[in-house]
Amino acid sequence: MSTETGCSEQKFHEIDSYIAALSSLDGALVNVLSQAQSIYGYLPKELQLHIARKLKVSPAQVYGVVSFYSFFTMEPKGKCRISLCMGTACFVLGIDEVLKEFQKELGIASGETTPDGLFSLDALRCVGACSLAPVVLVDDRVFGKVTANQVSGIIDEYKGFLSRGSVEHG
Ligand code: FES
């Protein structure tokens, strides 16, 4: 097996062990993909095919689930995953200006990762926190009522965490 995708035999072994421990494969696809993404960080094509074989479902079914849920990704992501909610409430309250500022500060477009691998930027559908609109997620941490002026501060905070070797969430 090639290691070009970043998926070593050892990592396949980890997801194989997870699948082997399931009491039933029925309806397990979303959970298996979620577990695989937590191991690999993303779901490359080779891994999707491997999971399809293991769960005895079609590759098209696996791809359909991966592409339907916005929290699944087929591309490697940065150490800090910045996600902006592009739902209606967030859009009306100016998330597009916040997105432009993140793109300018990081030098990447939505869906991309910085060349140093530190930050990735993504757009999400409504994340269910509309009262906090506009909403930005950095990994699992929620920033509410975000303005474009706060963007450089958020990035600097996480650069600080990363330079100390860990990402802490306050
Ligand atoms: S529209 Fe952004 S949280 Fe609902």
Side-chain angles (χ1 to χ4, degrees), residues 93-107:
L93 291 171
I95 196 71
D96 55 331
E97 291 303 317
V98 178
L99 175 60
K100 278 184 204 155
E101 194 64 24
F102 270 111
Q103 290 176 328
K104 191 177 92 185
E105 288 279 334
L106 294 173

Side-chain angles (χ1 to χ4, degrees), residues 9-123:
E9 282 293 341
Q10 177 58 33
K11 285 180 178 175
F12 277 150
H13 177 71
E14 284 181 70
I15 197 63
D16 288 350
S17 299
Y18 177 82
I19 292 170
L22 294 173
S23 56
S24 167
L25 298 185
D26 289 343
L29 181 53
V30 172
N31 286 341
V32 170
L33 289 170
S34 179
Q35 182 69 18
Q37 184 162 290
S38 76
I39 295 169
Y40 298 99
Y42 70 115
L43 299 168
K45 185 177 165 194
E46 291 79 2
L47 178 55
Q48 292 181 46
L49 292 172
H50 182 78
I51 289 170
R53 278 194 298 274
K54 284 284 172 182
L55 297 185
K56 301 182 180 12
V57 298
S58 73
Q61 192 176 342
V62 174
Y63 177 77
V65 171
V66 170
S67 55
F68 179 79
Y69 291 104
S70 57
F71 56 85
F72 288 136
T73 177
M74 290 181 264
E75 301 295 331
K77 294 297 176 184
K79 288 185 176 160
C80 283
R81 295 184 60 173
I82 300 172
S83 306
L84 280 70
C85 175
M86 303 305 288
T88 304
C90 290
F91 192 80
V92 167
L93 291 171
I95 196 71
D96 55 331
E97 291 303 317
V98 178
L99 175 60
K100 278 184 204 155
E101 194 64 24
F102 270 111
Q103 290 176 328
K104 191 177 92 185
E105 288 279 334
L106 294 173
I108 56 174
S110 181
E112 293 181 346
T113 300
T114 54
D116 59 10
L118 295 184
F119 294 97
S120 54
L121 193 58
D122 286 294

